[in-house]
Amino acid sequence: MILDKINQLLDEVRQMTAANAEEVEQLRLKYLSKKGAITALMNDFRNVPADQKKTVGMKINELKQIAQERINQLKTDTETVECDAQHIDLTRTPYPIGLGTRHPLTIVTNEIIDIFSRMGFVLADGPEVEDDLHVFTRMNFAADHPARDMQDTFFVSQHPNDVTKNILLRSHTSSVQARVMETTQPPIRIICPGRVYRNEAITARAHCFFHQVEGLYIDKNVSFTDLKQVLLSFAREMFGADTKIRLRPSYFPFTEPSAEMDISCFICGGEGCGFCKHTGWVEILGCGMVDPNVLEQCGIDSSVYSGYAFGMGVERITNLKYQVSDLRMFSENDVRFLQEFESAD
């Protein structure tokens, strides 16, 4: 009779299942606790005839061992399931997760920084939400200059009685140059990468925000020849050793004389094609000698020091380098477009 009960319990124990730790504990209490089924068998063992005690005793021990092993296994299984469930992020992108790459603007910005860093320029940074004093006034813009107009700049707050207190989104990273010149005595050799803003219609060739890298060098006896050689070295590093440059007279309030710099078209080799509009040249940046008024505004003696400055749009350089036809693609986060730059990273 007791052997039949043991065999029945063995079948039950071997088929035990549990969905969580609470159910495992209920099974332990049912079979192995002081009031459990196996303990009850041990209590009935005293009534077993002497000639059967060895056989029955071995079966009870077997039952107890199998029950203990099965409950331990169920406990391990439920702990693993619960642990895995706690670490599941249902908002996560499904597997497999593809490897990303740097944004093309980041790739080109880093390349520009690397080239100028090897020439001795150091990085400088400043706020994107700026005051008129550093964006315009320190850069030799007259109080009624059109660049202060809402058509060109996003204003955060305005002070009609004192335009220098206007708060706006910087329209160029020249504001960083102003802040460095205020607090640093020459020699100064910096590059200022960053995002800038203009109140413009968004088209394939223009956007309300874009990225710039500006450079500034101030020291004694700095000449336009120094500027030309630095820009020539940059152009050849960025676009190839055979690249030529030309400087065309231009106007900027903060430099005098000022110039626009073109590079020979690296697609047609300067012979003329659709990309360069059959001129053989492509414009990439503006530059010039720092206006003495800018130096004086920032507390630098213009009778002792001179300098040059330049600035380029990163989107423009990226368009030229990778022949991207629509600069809106840089900010649309289209994964198909970004994947094209995996090998460039």
Side-chain angles (χ1 to χ4, degrees), residues 197-209:
Y197 305 83
R198 303 280 174 87
N199 189 10
E200 297 183 4
I202 299 175
T203 68
R205 300 177 61 85
H207 211 295
C208 62
F209 70 87

Side-chain angles (χ1 to χ4, degrees), residues 32 38 60-70:
L32 296 174
I38 295 176
I60 292 175
N61 287 335
E62 180 186 2
L63 171 62
K64 184 176 182 181
Q65 182 177 355
I66 291 174
Q68 187 66 60
E69 290 175 353
R70 182 59 182 160

